[in-house]
Amino acid sequence: MLPLLLMTALAAEDIKPLPPIPHPRQLAWQKMQQYAFVHFGPNTFTDVEWGEGKEDPKLFNPTALDCGQWARTAKAAGLTGIIITAKHHDGFCLWPSKYSTHTVAQSLYKGDVLRELSNACKKEGLKMGVYLSPWDRNHPSYGTPEYNQVFANMLREVLTSYGPIFEVWFDGANGEGPNGKKQVYDWPLFVNTVRKYQPNAVIFSDAGPDIRWVGNESGHSDPECWSTIDRDRYVAGTPLYQELTKGKRGGKDWVPAECDVSIRPGWFYHKEQDGQVKSPETLMKLWEESVGQNGSFLLNVPPDRRGLWHENDVMALLGWKKLLDEVYGKPLNVAAAFSGPADPGDSALVNVTLSKPRIFDRVELREPIGLGQRIAGFRIEALVDEKWTVLSNQTTVGNRRIVRVPRTKSDRIRIVITDSLAEPLLTSVILYWTGR
């Protein structure tokens, strides 16, 4: 049974979508919520973050590569997919590309990492995504017009050989190639290549077109987070990246935020960071501040030189999943929501009544984003000692909003909508107790 408001909204002829609205591929991506990033390549073996493209391919030699271990752990941790660095800035391809001589085919490993990951994801029911950096510090044609077609050919190889791809991740980095020149990227060509071969994949970059960088590598959005921006204001590598953390109220394009962060200080594996893995509690906080602030959570877990997710990383992931299950797997209520009066100057109300007083410290709200992002201001109140007490004043809701509130015991809660771009709509109001 659909939540009350969604049924009402779909049945009411006078409730029209508020443009812009998400494309079906964006809606499918938003439902994934949290998924893994995997930085893996020669940098894993040279102990650097950005390779120069001059590394001997034979350095890439994982001794016990097991993409199945990544996928099994990801699934156990509640992650829904894995995006891998198929080609980083050094130009090394984790598949045997016909368009480069700097690939796994020239390494001692000689296998196809993308094939192994594709098989592992399919086995565990996970989705697979790919990161391909247009910057290539190895390819001799980089810095010439010919390189754009080379990169498009590499994209075609990856997008036609490994099954469905849920996301194509474009890095905006643009530096010198082996000839000392920079490349003028043909972004329309790259985007059209993805659309041709993987039309259901969302495309990520600073400027979208489908999803945007959140403007930091700390794994969180802003408490006020709009899924809309003016896309033509930004380019890949934009200096205006700080604006992307909030997005824009009333923006003309639907480009929601993806929040990326590494489970370690670095993006690639470094042995000296084995003791610096983020704790389950930290991962929980970041999840609340990304998924719980109208974004998605992209968590990097770098394989070590064996080709495995390190034991410390695995322990943190499983500990985080335990916390998620203990709190967000046990809501105190599942309340359908409804909109109140929408006349100018009036406040819309959502009332939640529990069967008995309960202690809670988180309140979750959701909008039916298929009809647009509408709510721009709300407050949460609870009836305490026969008085309505304000617990929190906030701005946006979006796909999912989790608000920390003081420890409160009550059986009556209400959401007061104070600002909205159109008739405010909610699908649910859910309470949780974390004890944190």
Side-chain angles (χ1 to χ4, degrees):
M1 180 176 179
L2 290 172
L4 176 61
L5 175 62
L6 192 51
M7 291 177 63
T8 302
L10 291 175
E13 295 182 359
D14 59 337
I15 297 182
K16 304 296 184 183
L18 174 69
I21 59 173
H23 187 278
R25 62 174 165 259
Q26 294 170 308
L27 286 173
W29 162 83
Q30 193 97 56
K31 291 177 182 177
M32 292 181 65
Q33 298 193 94
Q34 63 272 339
Y35 39 92
F37 214 176
V38 167
H39 278 64
F40 191 46
N43 296 350
T44 307
F45 299 88
T46 58
D47 212 26
V48 300
E49 288 288 298
W50 281 16
E52 296 182 357
K54 302 174 183 177
E55 298 81 9
D56 186 342
K58 292 183 173 60
L59 286 171
F60 183 79
N61 187 27
T63 56
L65 179 66
D66 185 359
C67 294
Q69 185 246 10
W70 310 352
R72 290 189 299 274
T73 305
K75 183 177 181 179
L79 300 171
T80 55
I82 299 177
I83 299 175
I84 189 169
T85 53
K87 182 173 86 76
H88 205 252
H89 310 325
D90 54 28
F92 186 83
C93 300
L94 291 180
W95 78 100
S97 176
K98 297 177 182 178
Y99 299 95
S100 176
T101 58
H102 196 53
T103 80
V104 288
Q106 289 77 43
S107 73
L108 293 177
Y109 171 68
K110 296 187 182 302
D112 185 338
V113 179
L114 299 193
R115 174 69 57 207
E116 293 205 20
L117 180 58
S118 173
N119 292 340
C121 285
K122 289 173 184 174
K123 184 176 180 180
E124 299 300 329
L126 302 177
K127 295 184 179 182
M128 177 175 165
V130 290
Y131 165 122
L132 279 91
S133 173
W135 187 11
D136 196 314
R137 305 183 77 176
N138 175 271
H139 204 283
S141 72
Y142 185 86
T144 72
E146 290 73 28
Y147 173 76
N148 283 320
Q149 189 57 55
V150 168
F151 185 71
N153 289 337
M154 290 179 172
L155 271 174
R156 176 178 51 80
E157 284 183 321
V158 170
L159 299 177
T160 60
S161 301
Y162 303 102
I165 299 297
F166 84 90
E167 179 172 337
V168 177
W169 212 97
F170 285 138
D171 197 306
N174 186 338
E176 79 292 343
N179 58 10
K181 296 181 180 179
K182 291 187 177 183
Q183 182 73 29
V184 178
Y185 297 142
D186 188 345
W187 286 111
L189 172 63
F190 305 160
V191 169
N192 289 337
T193 301
V194 177
R195 293 286 190 247
K196 180 177 180 179
Y197 297 112
Q198 292 283 345
N200 294 323
V202 291
I203 300 174
F204 167 98
S205 81
D206 297 348
D210 296 315
I211 56 177
R212 73 180 192 265
W213 182 40
V214 76
N216 63 68
E217 294 183 343
S218 302
H220 65 84
S221 66
D222 192 88
E224 180 181 356
C225 184
W226 293 95
S227 292
T228 53
I229 61 172
D230 290 337
R231 195 164 53 204
D232 55 10
R233 179 172 169 79
Y234 307 99
V235 296
T238 178
L240 304 174
Y241 61 90
Q242 291 180 335
E243 297 178 3
L244 299 173
T245 307
K246 281 189 177 184
K248 181 183 179 182
R249 172 179 175 149
K252 59 186 177 65
D253 301 294
W254 188 276
V255 190
E258 180 181 78
C259 308
D260 58 324
V261 70
S262 184
I263 200 168
R264 293 162 169 257
W267 291 91
F268 286 88
Y269 176 81
H270 306 288
K271 183 176 177 57
E272 68 271 17
Q273 295 178 0
D274 285 350
Q276 298 175 270
V277 176
K278 289 179 173 61
S279 68
E281 292 76 14
T282 297
L283 296 176
M284 177 78 141
K285 181 175 183 291
L286 291 172
W287 181 86
E288 290 180 331
E289 294 174 353
S290 54
V291 171
Q293 290 183 169
N294 192 35
S296 69
F297 187 39
L298 177 57
L299 179 62
N300 182 65
V301 187
D304 60 22
R305 294 184 181 183
R306 297 172 297 175
L308 301 174
W309 282 2
H310 191 274
E311 293 80 357
N312 293 359
D313 303 57
V314 171
M315 188 180 305
L317 289 168
L318 298 182
W320 168 46
K321 179 58 162 59
K322 184 173 183 290
L323 291 178
L324 281 174
D325 289 345
E326 289 174 352
V327 175
Y328 293 99
K330 299 177 181 178
L332 301 180
N333 72 309
V334 181
F338 56 93
S339 60
D343 293 332
D346 286 350
S347 294
L349 293 176
V350 174
N351 291 287
V352 179
T353 302
L354 306 180
S355 59
K356 63 179 181 179
R358 303 294 297 270
I359 298 173
F360 62 93
D361 59 9
R362 298 289 190 277
V363 179
E364 175 188 306
L365 293 79
R366 297 193 186 205
E367 283 184 90
I369 59 172
L371 296 171
Q373 188 176 358
R374 298 161 174 259
I375 296 173
F378 67 94
R379 68 176 180 267
I380 301 170
E381 301 179 351
L383 192 64
V384 180
D385 296 330
E386 301 303 318
K387 294 181 180 179
W388 284 105
T389 301
V390 175
L391 304 182
S392 185
N393 281 286
Q394 298 294 331
T395 52
T396 53
V397 175
N399 182 64
R400 189 173 187 181
R401 183 67 198 280
I402 298 172
V403 181
R404 294 183 181 90
V405 298
R407 179 186 184 277
T408 303
K409 185 175 183 180
S410 179
D411 61 353
R412 300 265 314 270
I413 299 92
R414 67 186 185 190
I415 311 300
V416 182
I417 308 300
T418 58
D419 189 10
S420 186
L421 305 187
E423 182 177 3
L425 307 175
L426 284 172
T427 57
S428 62
V429 179
I430 303 176
L431 310 179
Y432 303 94
W433 167 243
T434 72
R436 294 172 178 81

mmCIF file of all heavy atoms in Angstrom, residues 37-42 44 70 82-90 92-95 113-114 117 129-133 169 267-268 300 303:
data_model
loop_
_atom_site.group_PDB
_atom_site.id
_atom_site.type_symbol
_atom_site.label_atom_id
_atom_site.label_comp_id
_atom_site.label_asym_id
_atom_site.label_seq_id
_atom_site.Cartn_x
_atom_site.Cartn_y
_atom_site.Cartn_z
ATOM 1 N N PHE A 37 33.419 2.838 -3.809
ATOM 2 C CA PHE A 37 34.398 3.317 -4.780
ATOM 3 C C PHE A 37 35.631 2.435 -4.594
ATOM 4 O O PHE A 37 35.987 2.091 -3.456
ATOM 5 C CB PHE A 37 34.740 4.767 -4.444
ATOM 6 C CG PHE A 37 35.025 5.657 -5.620
ATOM 7 C CD1 PHE A 37 35.270 7.011 -5.407
ATOM 8 C CD2 PHE A 37 35.055 5.189 -6.916
ATOM 9 C CE1 PHE A 37 35.525 7.878 -6.458
ATOM 10 C CE2 PHE A 37 35.304 6.038 -7.987
ATOM 11 C CZ PHE A 37 35.536 7.387 -7.745
ATOM 12 N N VAL A 38 36.303 2.080 -5.675
ATOM 13 C CA VAL A 38 37.515 1.269 -5.582
ATOM 14 C C VAL A 38 38.606 1.938 -6.398
ATOM 15 O O VAL A 38 38.523 1.983 -7.633
ATOM 16 C CB VAL A 38 37.268 -0.170 -6.081
ATOM 17 C CG1 VAL A 38 38.594 -0.900 -6.268
ATOM 18 C CG2 VAL A 38 36.389 -0.937 -5.104
ATOM 19 N N HIS A 39 39.611 2.482 -5.724
ATOM 20 C CA HIS A 39 40.805 3.020 -6.382
ATOM 21 C C HIS A 39 41.870 1.926 -6.390
ATOM 22 O O HIS A 39 42.329 1.492 -5.326
ATOM 23 C CB HIS A 39 41.319 4.260 -5.645
ATOM 24 C CG HIS A 39 40.591 5.517 -6.006
ATOM 25 N ND1 HIS A 39 39.247 5.702 -5.742
ATOM 26 C CD2 HIS A 39 41.019 6.663 -6.613
ATOM 27 C CE1 HIS A 39 38.882 6.906 -6.166
ATOM 28 N NE2 HIS A 39 39.934 7.507 -6.699
ATOM 29 N N PHE A 40 42.242 1.486 -7.574
ATOM 30 C CA PHE A 40 43.147 0.341 -7.707
ATOM 31 C C PHE A 40 43.927 0.503 -9.004
ATOM 32 O O PHE A 40 43.365 0.892 -10.029
ATOM 33 C CB PHE A 40 42.320 -0.941 -7.733
ATOM 34 C CG PHE A 40 43.106 -2.224 -7.599
ATOM 35 C CD1 PHE A 40 44.104 -2.363 -6.641
ATOM 36 C CD2 PHE A 40 42.822 -3.303 -8.428
ATOM 37 C CE1 PHE A 40 44.809 -3.558 -6.510
ATOM 38 C CE2 PHE A 40 43.508 -4.497 -8.303
ATOM 39 C CZ PHE A 40 44.501 -4.631 -7.343
ATOM 40 N N GLY A 41 45.226 0.248 -8.960
ATOM 41 C CA GLY A 41 46.061 0.367 -10.147
ATOM 42 C C GLY A 41 47.525 0.418 -9.776
ATOM 43 O O GLY A 41 47.914 0.032 -8.657
ATOM 44 N N PRO A 42 48.385 0.917 -10.675
ATOM 45 C CA PRO A 42 49.813 1.011 -10.368
ATOM 46 C C PRO A 42 50.097 1.816 -9.099
ATOM 47 O O PRO A 42 51.071 1.523 -8.383
ATOM 48 C CB PRO A 42 50.391 1.702 -11.609
ATOM 49 C CG PRO A 42 49.467 1.309 -12.712
ATOM 50 C CD PRO A 42 48.100 1.268 -12.078
ATOM 51 N N THR A 44 48.718 1.688 -6.378
ATOM 52 C CA THR A 44 48.663 0.773 -5.238
ATOM 53 C C THR A 44 50.045 0.207 -4.941
ATOM 54 O O THR A 44 50.392 -0.064 -3.782
ATOM 55 C CB THR A 44 47.685 -0.384 -5.542
ATOM 56 O OG1 THR A 44 46.422 0.170 -5.950
ATOM 57 C CG2 THR A 44 47.488 -1.278 -4.336
ATOM 58 N N TRP A 70 35.594 -8.410 -2.485
ATOM 59 C CA TRP A 70 35.075 -7.044 -2.440
ATOM 60 C C TRP A 70 33.551 -7.074 -2.465
ATOM 61 O O TRP A 70 32.893 -6.404 -1.659
ATOM 62 C CB TRP A 70 35.523 -6.215 -3.644
ATOM 63 C CG TRP A 70 36.971 -6.210 -3.992
ATOM 64 C CD1 TRP A 70 38.012 -6.749 -3.280
ATOM 65 C CD2 TRP A 70 37.538 -5.634 -5.170
ATOM 66 N NE1 TRP A 70 39.197 -6.544 -3.950
ATOM 67 C CE2 TRP A 70 38.940 -5.860 -5.099
ATOM 68 C CE3 TRP A 70 37.012 -4.963 -6.272
ATOM 69 C CZ2 TRP A 70 39.806 -5.429 -6.112
ATOM 70 C CZ3 TRP A 70 37.871 -4.532 -7.272
ATOM 71 C CH2 TRP A 70 39.249 -4.757 -7.185
ATOM 72 N N ILE A 82 29.480 -1.082 -6.868
ATOM 73 C CA ILE A 82 30.917 -0.799 -6.798
ATOM 74 C C ILE A 82 31.322 -0.055 -8.068
ATOM 75 O O ILE A 82 31.070 -0.517 -9.183
ATOM 76 C CB ILE A 82 31.751 -2.088 -6.673
ATOM 77 C CG1 ILE A 82 31.399 -2.841 -5.392
ATOM 78 C CG2 ILE A 82 33.242 -1.761 -6.695
ATOM 79 C CD1 ILE A 82 32.127 -4.180 -5.236
ATOM 80 N N ILE A 83 31.947 1.117 -7.884
ATOM 81 C CA ILE A 83 32.529 1.878 -8.994
ATOM 82 C C ILE A 83 34.042 1.708 -8.920
ATOM 83 O O ILE A 83 34.654 1.958 -7.874
ATOM 84 C CB ILE A 83 32.174 3.368 -8.894
ATOM 85 C CG1 ILE A 83 30.656 3.563 -8.964
ATOM 86 C CG2 ILE A 83 32.858 4.166 -10.009
ATOM 87 C CD1 ILE A 83 30.216 5.005 -8.749
ATOM 88 N N ILE A 84 34.671 1.303 -10.008
ATOM 89 C CA ILE A 84 36.114 1.046 -10.016
ATOM 90 C C ILE A 84 36.841 2.025 -10.930
ATOM 91 O O ILE A 84 36.304 2.457 -11.960
ATOM 92 C CB ILE A 84 36.406 -0.409 -10.454
ATOM 93 C CG1 ILE A 84 37.892 -0.745 -10.253
ATOM 94 C CG2 ILE A 84 35.946 -0.665 -11.886
ATOM 95 C CD1 ILE A 84 38.219 -2.214 -10.392
ATOM 96 N N THR A 85 38.064 2.391 -10.553
ATOM 97 C CA THR A 85 38.899 3.269 -11.378
ATOM 98 C C THR A 85 39.458 2.471 -12.549
ATOM 99 O O THR A 85 40.600 2.011 -12.522
ATOM 100 C CB THR A 85 40.057 3.870 -10.558
ATOM 101 O OG1 THR A 85 40.785 2.804 -9.915
ATOM 102 C CG2 THR A 85 39.553 4.837 -9.506
ATOM 103 N N ALA A 86 38.656 2.322 -13.587
ATOM 104 C CA ALA A 86 39.084 1.560 -14.761
ATOM 105 C C ALA A 86 40.313 2.194 -15.411
ATOM 106 O O ALA A 86 41.171 1.503 -15.954
ATOM 107 C CB ALA A 86 37.939 1.474 -15.769
ATOM 108 N N LYS A 87 40.389 3.532 -15.365
ATOM 109 C CA LYS A 87 41.580 4.248 -15.848
ATOM 110 C C LYS A 87 41.741 5.512 -15.033
ATOM 111 O O LYS A 87 40.873 6.378 -15.056
ATOM 112 C CB LYS A 87 41.458 4.595 -17.338
ATOM 113 C CG LYS A 87 42.707 5.299 -17.903
ATOM 114 C CD LYS A 87 42.627 5.477 -19.407
ATOM 115 C CE LYS A 87 41.895 6.728 -19.818
ATOM 116 N NZ LYS A 87 42.721 7.962 -19.634
ATOM 117 N N HIS A 88 42.839 5.608 -14.300
ATOM 118 C CA HIS A 88 43.136 6.815 -13.538
ATOM 119 C C HIS A 88 44.013 7.736 -14.388
ATOM 120 O O HIS A 88 44.247 7.484 -15.573
ATOM 121 C CB HIS A 88 43.806 6.448 -12.199
ATOM 122 C CG HIS A 88 43.626 7.466 -11.131
ATOM 123 N ND1 HIS A 88 44.657 8.284 -10.692
ATOM 124 C CD2 HIS A 88 42.536 7.831 -10.401
ATOM 125 C CE1 HIS A 88 44.209 9.091 -9.742
ATOM 126 N NE2 HIS A 88 42.919 8.844 -9.547
ATOM 127 N N HIS A 89 44.510 8.824 -13.768
ATOM 128 C CA HIS A 89 45.246 9.839 -14.528
ATOM 129 C C HIS A 89 46.526 9.298 -15.178
ATOM 130 O O HIS A 89 46.999 9.855 -16.169
ATOM 131 C CB HIS A 89 45.627 11.020 -13.627
ATOM 132 C CG HIS A 89 44.500 11.568 -12.824
ATOM 133 N ND1 HIS A 89 43.204 11.629 -13.289
ATOM 134 C CD2 HIS A 89 44.473 12.092 -11.554
ATOM 135 C CE1 HIS A 89 42.429 12.167 -12.356
ATOM 136 N NE2 HIS A 89 43.173 12.444 -11.293
ATOM 137 N N ASP A 90 47.081 8.224 -14.616
ATOM 138 C CA ASP A 90 48.311 7.665 -15.185
ATOM 139 C C ASP A 90 48.074 6.948 -16.502
ATOM 140 O O ASP A 90 49.029 6.573 -17.193
ATOM 141 C CB ASP A 90 48.990 6.721 -14.193
ATOM 142 C CG ASP A 90 48.067 5.633 -13.687
ATOM 143 O OD1 ASP A 90 47.135 5.242 -14.413
ATOM 144 O OD2 ASP A 90 48.265 5.167 -12.543
ATOM 145 N N PHE A 92 46.789 3.969 -17.008
ATOM 146 C CA PHE A 92 46.817 2.501 -16.941
ATOM 147 C C PHE A 92 45.386 1.966 -16.962
ATOM 148 O O PHE A 92 44.544 2.381 -16.156
ATOM 149 C CB PHE A 92 47.533 2.042 -15.671
ATOM 150 C CG PHE A 92 47.720 0.551 -15.593
ATOM 151 C CD1 PHE A 92 48.777 -0.063 -16.233
ATOM 152 C CD2 PHE A 92 46.831 -0.229 -14.866
ATOM 153 C CE1 PHE A 92 48.962 -1.448 -16.146
ATOM 154 C CE2 PHE A 92 47.001 -1.599 -14.774
ATOM 155 C CZ PHE A 92 48.063 -2.210 -15.422
ATOM 156 N N CYS A 93 45.112 1.039 -17.870
ATOM 157 C CA CYS A 93 43.773 0.481 -18.042
ATOM 158 C C CYS A 93 43.674 -0.867 -17.333
ATOM 159 O O CYS A 93 44.520 -1.752 -17.554
ATOM 160 C CB CYS A 93 43.454 0.289 -19.522
ATOM 161 S SG CYS A 93 43.504 1.804 -20.507
ATOM 162 N N LEU A 94 42.656 -1.026 -16.510
ATOM 163 C CA LEU A 94 42.455 -2.287 -15.794
ATOM 164 C C LEU A 94 41.792 -3.348 -16.668
ATOM 165 O O LEU A 94 41.459 -4.428 -16.191
ATOM 166 C CB LEU A 94 41.612 -2.058 -14.538
ATOM 167 C CG LEU A 94 42.287 -1.256 -13.418
ATOM 168 C CD1 LEU A 94 41.340 -1.103 -12.229
ATOM 169 C CD2 LEU A 94 43.576 -1.930 -12.967
ATOM 170 N N TRP A 95 41.609 -3.038 -17.920
ATOM 171 C CA TRP A 95 41.143 -4.013 -18.905
ATOM 172 C C TRP A 95 42.138 -3.993 -20.079
ATOM 173 O O TRP A 95 42.853 -3.018 -20.272
ATOM 174 C CB TRP A 95 39.729 -3.669 -19.366
ATOM 175 C CG TRP A 95 39.620 -2.550 -20.367
ATOM 176 C CD1 TRP A 95 39.459 -2.652 -21.725
ATOM 177 C CD2 TRP A 95 39.706 -1.132 -20.108
ATOM 178 N NE1 TRP A 95 39.430 -1.410 -22.309
ATOM 179 C CE2 TRP A 95 39.569 -0.468 -21.335
ATOM 180 C CE3 TRP A 95 39.881 -0.366 -18.940
ATOM 181 C CZ2 TRP A 95 39.610 0.924 -21.447
ATOM 182 C CZ3 TRP A 95 39.920 1.021 -19.051
ATOM 183 C CH2 TRP A 95 39.787 1.643 -20.283
ATOM 184 N N VAL A 113 40.634 -7.099 -14.876
ATOM 185 C CA VAL A 113 40.036 -6.779 -13.577
ATOM 186 C C VAL A 113 38.560 -6.419 -13.735
ATOM 187 O O VAL A 113 37.730 -6.788 -12.900
ATOM 188 C CB VAL A 113 40.798 -5.631 -12.895
ATOM 189 C CG1 VAL A 113 40.164 -5.284 -11.552
ATOM 190 C CG2 VAL A 113 42.273 -6.009 -12.701
ATOM 191 N N LEU A 114 38.220 -5.714 -14.815
ATOM 192 C CA LEU A 114 36.819 -5.347 -15.010
ATOM 193 C C LEU A 114 35.946 -6.579 -15.219
ATOM 194 O O LEU A 114 34.809 -6.635 -14.739
ATOM 195 C CB LEU A 114 36.673 -4.387 -16.193
ATOM 196 C CG LEU A 114 37.394 -3.041 -16.107
ATOM 197 C CD1 LEU A 114 36.898 -2.103 -17.202
ATOM 198 C CD2 LEU A 114 37.226 -2.392 -14.747
ATOM 199 N N LEU A 117 35.448 -8.160 -11.802
ATOM 200 C CA LEU A 117 34.520 -7.388 -10.969
ATOM 201 C C LEU A 117 33.095 -7.520 -11.487
ATOM 202 O O LEU A 117 32.147 -7.660 -10.692
ATOM 203 C CB LEU A 117 34.932 -5.917 -10.933
ATOM 204 C CG LEU A 117 34.029 -5.015 -10.083
ATOM 205 C CD1 LEU A 117 33.968 -5.489 -8.634
ATOM 206 C CD2 LEU A 117 34.479 -3.558 -10.152
ATOM 207 N N GLY A 129 29.814 0.208 -11.591
ATOM 208 C CA GLY A 129 30.069 1.488 -12.230
ATOM 209 C C GLY A 129 31.540 1.607 -12.579
ATOM 210 O O GLY A 129 32.373 0.837 -12.093
ATOM 211 N N VAL A 130 31.860 2.579 -13.425
ATOM 212 C CA VAL A 130 33.248 2.746 -13.865
ATOM 213 C C VAL A 130 33.660 4.211 -13.787
ATOM 214 O O VAL A 130 32.882 5.110 -14.101
ATOM 215 C CB VAL A 130 33.469 2.218 -15.298
ATOM 216 C CG1 VAL A 130 33.378 0.703 -15.328
ATOM 217 C CG2 VAL A 130 32.469 2.828 -16.275
ATOM 218 N N TYR A 131 34.893 4.417 -13.351
ATOM 219 C CA TYR A 131 35.561 5.716 -13.355
ATOM 220 C C TYR A 131 36.572 5.675 -14.494
ATOM 221 O O TYR A 131 37.407 4.769 -14.561
ATOM 222 C CB TYR A 131 36.256 5.894 -12.001
ATOM 223 C CG TYR A 131 37.305 6.982 -11.871
ATOM 224 C CD1 TYR A 131 37.167 7.984 -10.922
ATOM 225 C CD2 TYR A 131 38.476 6.978 -12.626
ATOM 226 C CE1 TYR A 131 38.144 8.955 -10.751
ATOM 227 C CE2 TYR A 131 39.453 7.947 -12.471
ATOM 228 C CZ TYR A 131 39.284 8.931 -11.535
ATOM 229 O OH TYR A 131 40.263 9.894 -11.368
ATOM 230 N N LEU A 132 36.487 6.623 -15.389
ATOM 231 C CA LEU A 132 37.512 6.768 -16.431
ATOM 232 C C LEU A 132 37.959 8.216 -16.457
ATOM 233 O O LEU A 132 37.166 9.113 -16.761
ATOM 234 C CB LEU A 132 36.990 6.370 -17.812
ATOM 235 C CG LEU A 132 36.972 4.870 -18.111
ATOM 236 C CD1 LEU A 132 35.645 4.273 -17.707
ATOM 237 C CD2 LEU A 132 37.250 4.603 -19.580
ATOM 238 N N SER A 133 39.206 8.444 -16.124
ATOM 239 C CA SER A 133 39.743 9.798 -16.176
ATOM 240 C C SER A 133 40.094 10.140 -17.623
ATOM 241 O O SER A 133 40.833 9.400 -18.278
ATOM 242 C CB SER A 133 40.993 9.909 -15.311
ATOM 243 O OG SER A 133 41.603 11.175 -15.494
ATOM 244 N N TRP A 169 31.773 7.686 -14.074
ATOM 245 C CA TRP A 169 32.337 8.728 -13.213
ATOM 246 C C TRP A 169 33.465 9.427 -13.952
ATOM 247 O O TRP A 169 34.508 8.832 -14.224
ATOM 248 C CB TRP A 169 32.862 8.066 -11.940
ATOM 249 C CG TRP A 169 32.792 8.857 -10.673
ATOM 250 C CD1 TRP A 169 31.829 8.780 -9.719
ATOM 251 C CD2 TRP A 169 33.751 9.805 -10.167
ATOM 252 N NE1 TRP A 169 32.114 9.616 -8.662
ATOM 253 C CE2 TRP A 169 33.283 10.250 -8.908
ATOM 254 C CE3 TRP A 169 34.945 10.310 -10.658
ATOM 255 C CZ2 TRP A 169 33.972 11.188 -8.146
ATOM 256 C CZ3 TRP A 169 35.641 11.251 -9.905
ATOM 257 C CH2 TRP A 169 35.151 11.675 -8.661
ATOM 258 N N TRP A 267 43.201 7.789 -1.157
ATOM 259 C CA TRP A 267 42.258 7.113 -2.050
ATOM 260 C C TRP A 267 42.795 5.754 -2.488
ATOM 261 O O TRP A 267 42.017 4.814 -2.677
ATOM 262 C CB TRP A 267 41.952 7.999 -3.253
ATOM 263 C CG TRP A 267 41.150 9.195 -2.850
ATOM 264 C CD1 TRP A 267 41.627 10.425 -2.468
ATOM 265 C CD2 TRP A 267 39.733 9.277 -2.727
ATOM 266 N NE1 TRP A 267 40.593 11.253 -2.125
ATOM 267 C CE2 TRP A 267 39.412 10.585 -2.279
ATOM 268 C CE3 TRP A 267 38.688 8.374 -2.952
ATOM 269 C CZ2 TRP A 267 38.097 11.000 -2.060
ATOM 270 C CZ3 TRP A 267 37.379 8.791 -2.733
ATOM 271 C CH2 TRP A 267 37.099 10.082 -2.300
ATOM 272 N N PHE A 268 44.108 5.659 -2.670
ATOM 273 C CA PHE A 268 44.736 4.371 -2.956
ATOM 274 C C PHE A 268 45.282 3.779 -1.657
ATOM 275 O O PHE A 268 45.461 4.482 -0.662
ATOM 276 C CB PHE A 268 45.867 4.530 -3.982
ATOM 277 C CG PHE A 268 45.369 4.753 -5.390
ATOM 278 C CD1 PHE A 268 45.100 6.033 -5.860
ATOM 279 C CD2 PHE A 268 45.162 3.674 -6.249
ATOM 280 C CE1 PHE A 268 44.629 6.243 -7.150
ATOM 281 C CE2 PHE A 268 44.696 3.872 -7.542
ATOM 282 C CZ PHE A 268 44.427 5.163 -7.992
ATOM 283 N N ASN A 300 34.910 5.126 -0.630
ATOM 284 C CA ASN A 300 36.063 4.470 -1.237
ATOM 285 C C ASN A 300 36.683 3.448 -0.295
ATOM 286 O O ASN A 300 36.962 3.743 0.875
ATOM 287 C CB ASN A 300 37.124 5.513 -1.602
ATOM 288 C CG ASN A 300 38.326 4.903 -2.280
ATOM 289 O OD1 ASN A 300 38.223 4.373 -3.376
ATOM 290 N ND2 ASN A 300 39.478 4.957 -1.635
ATOM 291 N N PRO A 303 41.630 -1.593 -2.456
ATOM 292 C CA PRO A 303 42.279 -2.896 -2.267
ATOM 293 C C PRO A 303 43.768 -2.727 -1.988
ATOM 294 O O PRO A 303 44.410 -1.771 -2.444
ATOM 295 C CB PRO A 303 42.055 -3.611 -3.602
ATOM 296 C CG PRO A 303 40.931 -2.869 -4.259
ATOM 297 C CD PRO A 303 41.054 -1.454 -3.798
#
